[in-house]
Amino acid sequence: MHYLEFEKPLAEIEGKASELRAMAAANKEMDVSAEAAALDKKSADMLRDLYKDLSPWRKCLVARHPDRPHCKDYIEALFTEYTPLAGDRNFADDHAVMGGLARLDDRPVMVIGQEKGFDTKTRIERNFGMARPEGYRKAIRLMELADRFNIPVVTLVDTPGAYPGKGAEERGQSEAIARATQKCLQIGVPLVSVIIGEGGSGGAVAFATANRLAMLEHSVYSVISPEGCASILWKDAEKMREAAESLRLTAQDLRKLGVIDRIIDEPLGGAQRDRAAAIEAVGRTLSAMLKELDGKDRAGLIAHRRQKFLDMGSTGLAA
Amino acid sequence: MNWISNFVRPKINSLFSRREVPENLWSKCDDCGTMLFHRELSENLNVCTSCGHHMALPPRERFAALFDGGIFTEIKVPRPLADPLHFRDQKKYPDRMRAAQKATNEAEAMLAAEGEMGGTPIVAAAQDFRFMGGSMGMYVGNAIIAAAERAVKLGRPLILFSAAGGARMQEGILSLMQMPRSTVAVEMLKEAGLPYIVVLTHPTTGGVTASYAMLGDVQIAEPNALICFAGPRVIEQTIREKLPEGFQRAEYLLDHGMLDRVTHRLELRDELITITRMLMNQPPAVRGTLPAPDPAALAEAAVTPVAADAAVAPDQGESRGGKAAPDARTPEKGKKDEAGAKPAKSAGSGK
């Protein structure tokens, strides 16, 4: 279990409880159940308190939690017959972007998402979920394929942003993102999306320009990272807490602004504490969102998406 | 030490010094540092007369040079909510906004207008880098949508001049949402079969490049313009190596297949006319004003009317036909051609 900075006091209590239990297991005569239960209660209370009103910055930390289920976990658990499809047919296969045909509730869908990796090796292989142009072009290709065969598209968003590298720029990072966003708007099949962790700027928009967009309770979606914003507007990257506050990047604020359609509740203490429950909740939401779009024809789906974005920004937050 | 020396004299001095050296009489080239006479510079569309460096050209001045006779009609842009997030960094967003409005005398970071360019009806939109770095917020999105809707309604091409540091952080997610929103505008034009031409000017970066600025049917950039998604500093920090000379400049992008053309600002108008007219299936433009009647040529023409065409040099010709390549003309000549139809100031109607 990986504890975040603000969870340190919790780590202490939980550590004590498990220490006590280990001791009791070694020594049969010892009865620690009362103490352990007290500690459990204390830690449960603390967990509830900590997560009751997470600050936007803490939500960023939870959204980036290394133990949080990632795209690959969702695909493996929720979809059957997942058949990865690779490559942009131009340059390379970008491992930061997963995608392929799969079935959700037995229905064929095209699932596409950003995968960050779970250990050093896979993180490097996945480039920490930061796609290069070929990743966006792969997504475009898969969306086109889905569109041609009338298969709904499901996207799972989890990226710090598009990769800022030399090769990525040379191969047209901005054009690739722009075209992916455009493709999202063009396809005549349902497009539903869930932000499962970080929705980092343009790199996320290229996947999340959907008919229905949901966010996990503690995920974030933002124009810029709080650190980046702080270093530009505050001239001090350490002001990320203030920046996170100002940017309104939480699911709760984005729901009020009409940018997202749904919030998916996470288990107490975040998706990383009960991965199975989080994954199941995302599955239910995906099915529900696809169901809502059943019966809409191609033109209707495209028009719906367009109107949704044209209308966006007509409601602000209360002062 | 009295109020005269403390208060009156500085006041008088400042009054005089201001009158003697108006701030805008001379400007310094951003690149080569040459002092340039303001009028000369603005006649040269803010291109340094010494080194050819392209400096920022505010939308109103650009439109004055772009539209025939400098005449254009502003397109009304729906006003978005002011400060929907109640954003606050070291300053409040509305305060930053007011400061930008005061400094630029513009409502926001984009100006949209309709008019004729070389007799070709067009809709144009231009981003104002002076206004909070040209940043893309809801107003900019609204302006692009309004321009596209107008273009569709009138059946005209849309020419967009981009210049921006990226998204406007003070509008948070709503600025990010302008990426799909502006793309919807591009889709409207596409669906209506109308050309969408993007002219990327220095600098065009971030979310702007990653949306409407890279989706043109034809992509033209001004020389040496910085065009990128991630800025050079961010990349250097990420990869920890020095970037090559000219990286992410217009010519570099042209080389890497990301642009159709890199065009000098003084040749841009002619090129835009040529391209839009071809895409719109219109006959070649009639260029320039008629040449002053040359008595000798007139007399000759009276005798042999057939020779009229040959007697007119192509450069001053009333109709240039499709053969003469605009590239063959020097910027100076291009200027001369326009001169006849270019009053000093714009005639925007919206203000």
Side-chain angles (χ1 to χ4, degrees):
Chain A
M1 185 77 198
H2 176 104
Y3 288 95
L4 296 168
E5 190 59 41
F6 70 90
E7 294 175 325
K8 283 279 143 73
L10 187 67
E12 226 167 86
I13 299 169
E14 287 189 343
K16 256 186 217 158
S18 65
E19 229 171 78
L20 211 57
R21 290 209 167 87
M23 257 163 63
N27 186 350
K28 290 273 186 286
E29 273 115 77
M30 241 171 96
D31 184 18
V32 294
S33 53
E35 285 100 325
L39 283 175
D40 282 350
K41 189 181 177 310
K42 201 173 163 195
S43 67
D45 288 348
M46 186 178 276
L47 187 67
R48 195 171 312 111
D49 283 348
L50 276 177
Y51 275 80
K52 194 172 59 192
D53 217 356
L54 273 188
S55 71
W57 171 244
R58 286 182 176 181
K59 275 187 190 276
C60 291
L61 297 175
V62 175
R64 298 170 186 170
H65 198 292
D67 297 336
R68 216 175 152 78
H70 286 167
C71 176
K72 189 163 174 283
D73 305 310
Y74 287 101
I75 292 181
E76 279 169 2
L78 295 174
F79 298 83
T80 51
E81 294 185 11
Y82 172 57
T83 312
L85 301 173
D88 68 343
R89 299 297 181 272
N90 268 311
F91 182 77
D93 182 42
D94 189 337
H95 300 297
V97 175
M98 296 181 74
L101 287 162
R103 285 181 190 270
L104 183 70
D105 311 325
D106 289 336
R107 179 185 188 181
V109 296
M110 185 67 81
V111 59
I112 309 169
Q114 290 124 340
E115 170 58 45
K116 289 178 163 179
F118 58 90
D119 58 11
T120 310
K121 186 171 166 276
T122 51
R123 280 186 198 123
I124 290 169
E125 190 184 304
R126 302 284 186 185
N127 200 29
F128 301 85
M130 293 183 284
R132 298 180 166 93
E134 40 281 13
Y136 298 106
R137 291 183 181 131
K138 168 157 117 185
I140 293 171
R141 196 174 71 78
L142 298 187
M143 283 193 262
E144 270 169 2
L145 183 61
D147 187 30
R148 223 147 18 94
F149 293 97
N150 234 351
I151 296 170
V153 177
V154 172
T155 61
L156 299 169
V157 180
D158 191 12
T159 180
Y163 184 61
K166 183 168 165 270
E169 290 287 321
E170 281 174 349
R171 295 192 295 278
Q173 186 72 295
S174 35
E175 196 257 2
I177 294 171
R179 295 270 173 225
T181 311
Q182 188 178 34
K183 188 48 72 185
C184 285
L185 288 164
Q186 284 172 340
I187 53 176
V189 291
L191 172 52
V192 300
S193 180
V194 178
I195 297 174
I196 54 174
E198 274 184 286
S201 194
V205 171
F207 281 49
T209 304
N211 291 100
R212 289 276 189 278
L213 175 60
M215 274 175 87
L216 273 175
E217 189 185 345
H218 303 311
S219 62
V220 294
Y221 188 16
S222 179
V223 65
I224 186 168
S225 72
E227 295 94 326
C229 179
S231 72
I232 297 173
L233 290 183
W234 277 265
K235 315 260 182 271
D236 178 5
E238 290 301 307
K239 294 273 192 246
M240 63 265 186
R241 284 171 195 82
E242 288 86 338
E245 203 82 42
S246 289
L247 282 167
R248 310 287 188 160
L249 40 67
T250 66
Q252 293 68 31
D253 276 340
L254 298 186
R255 177 79 192 80
K256 283 180 212 150
L257 286 166
V259 171
I260 64 166
D261 303 292
R262 284 165 179 259
I263 298 174
I264 306 171
D265 287 339
E266 290 187 30
L268 181 62
Q272 70 277 7
R273 286 215 161 227
D274 189 346
R275 294 159 57 97
I279 290 171
E280 209 192 299
V282 167
R284 275 197 305 272
T285 303
L286 283 176
S287 305
M289 292 196 298
L290 281 174
K291 203 156 178 210
E292 284 167 13
L293 298 169
D294 273 347
K296 272 203 190 321
D297 64 355
R298 297 180 62 87
L301 286 163
I302 295 168
H304 168 263
R305 231 175 278 132
R306 278 195 196 180
Q307 202 53 47
K308 178 182 166 180
F309 286 95
L310 286 178
D311 292 343
M312 220 168 259
S314 45
T315 42
L317 292 172
Chain B
M1 283 302 223
N2 55 28
W3 71 278
I4 291 185
S5 63
N6 279 341
F7 180 74
V8 177
R9 205 177 290 155
K11 254 288 168 18
I12 290 172
N13 279 347
S14 74
L15 221 76
F16 273 96
S17 61
R18 233 180 271 153
R19 199 175 293 168
E20 266 168 332
V21 189
E23 268 174 63
N24 53 2
L25 201 55
W26 292 91
S27 12
K28 202 165 147 184
C29 171
D30 301 337
D31 198 38
C32 69
T34 309
M35 292 304 283
L36 302 159
F37 188 48
H38 180 73
R39 206 178 59 207
E40 214 169 274
L41 184 63
S42 95
E43 267 168 16
N44 209 36
L45 301 181
N46 287 3
V47 176
C48 174
T49 47
S50 162
C51 71
H53 177 64
H54 286 52
M55 280 175 270
L57 186 62
R60 235 164 257 282
E61 290 167 42
R62 193 177 277 280
F63 285 176
L66 180 76
F67 288 103
D68 296 343
I71 297 166
F72 58 90
T73 310
E74 258 181 66
I75 293 170
K76 206 171 155 39
V77 176
R79 277 234 154 252
L81 291 173
D83 197 18
L85 307 184
H86 314 290
F87 195 95
R88 183 173 191 147
D89 50 274
Q90 286 169 313
K91 282 185 200 156
K92 280 186 186 162
Y93 179 35
D95 294 343
R96 281 189 191 268
M97 192 78 157
R98 265 191 294 276
Q101 283 166 340
K102 213 174 147 201
T104 57
N105 210 11
E106 292 289 348
E108 252 279 8
M110 189 169 263
L111 186 65
E114 58 187 83
E116 290 196 359
M117 171 187 77
T120 318
I122 60 155
V123 171
Q127 219 155 349
D128 196 337
F129 192 71
R130 303 168 307 160
F131 198 104
M132 295 182 78
S135 55
M136 167 179 68
M138 291 190 287
Y139 185 95
V140 169
N142 283 358
I144 297 170
I145 291 165
E149 281 174 342
R150 192 74 188 142
V152 170
K153 185 158 183 238
L154 300 172
R156 297 181 182 190
L158 173 62
I159 300 174
L160 186 139
F161 299 85
S162 68
R168 185 170 297 170
M169 280 174 286
Q170 290 87 349
E171 291 183 18
I173 192 78
L174 294 176
S175 72
L176 190 66
M177 288 303 109
Q178 304 315 310
M179 290 176 65
R181 278 188 96 222
S182 60
T183 308
V184 171
V186 177
E187 287 294 292
M188 291 174 184
L189 293 163
K190 202 184 192 92
E191 214 170 63
L194 294 167
Y196 169 51
I197 297 173
V198 180
V199 179
L200 298 114
T201 76
H202 178 77
T204 299
T205 69
V208 170
T209 326
S211 56
Y212 59 89
M214 267 292 162
L215 292 173
D217 297 309
V218 179
Q219 297 276 130
I220 304 173
E222 289 190 341
N224 204 35
L226 176 74
I227 301 160
C228 60
F229 178 65
R233 238 180 318 150
V234 175
I235 296 175
E236 277 182 345
Q237 277 164 15
T238 314
I239 62 171
R240 290 168 211 284
E241 58 177 279
K242 210 85 198 105
L243 293 166
E245 178 73 20
F247 184 67
Q248 300 180 319
R249 296 290 168 168
E251 295 74 10
Y252 193 89
L253 267 83
L254 184 70
D255 248 8
H256 283 81
M258 299 317 300
L259 298 173
D260 289 292
R261 305 181 59 80
V262 174
T263 304
H264 194 283
R265 191 177 283 161
L266 298 181
E267 293 165 13
L268 197 55
R269 183 175 182 270
D270 278 350
E271 191 165 305
L272 288 170
I273 295 170
T274 308
I275 292 172
T276 44
R277 291 190 73 87
M278 283 198 262
L279 289 176
M280 294 295 285
N281 263 305
Q282 288 159 342
V286 176
R287 283 179 199 270
T289 45
L290 292 172
D294 177 349
L298 269 182
E300 215 183 314
V303 185
T304 47
V306 218
D309 206 13
V312 182
D315 255 344
Q316 306 148 338
E318 38 194 284
S319 169
R320 291 166 46 92
K323 288 165 283 177
D327 295 38
R329 307 167 72 212
T330 61
E332 285 70 35
K333 277 177 186 157
K335 285 292 292 173
K336 250 182 238 155
D337 279 5
E338 282 172 20
K342 207 182 133 208
K345 271 286 144 220
S346 76
S349 70
K351 282 204 110 183

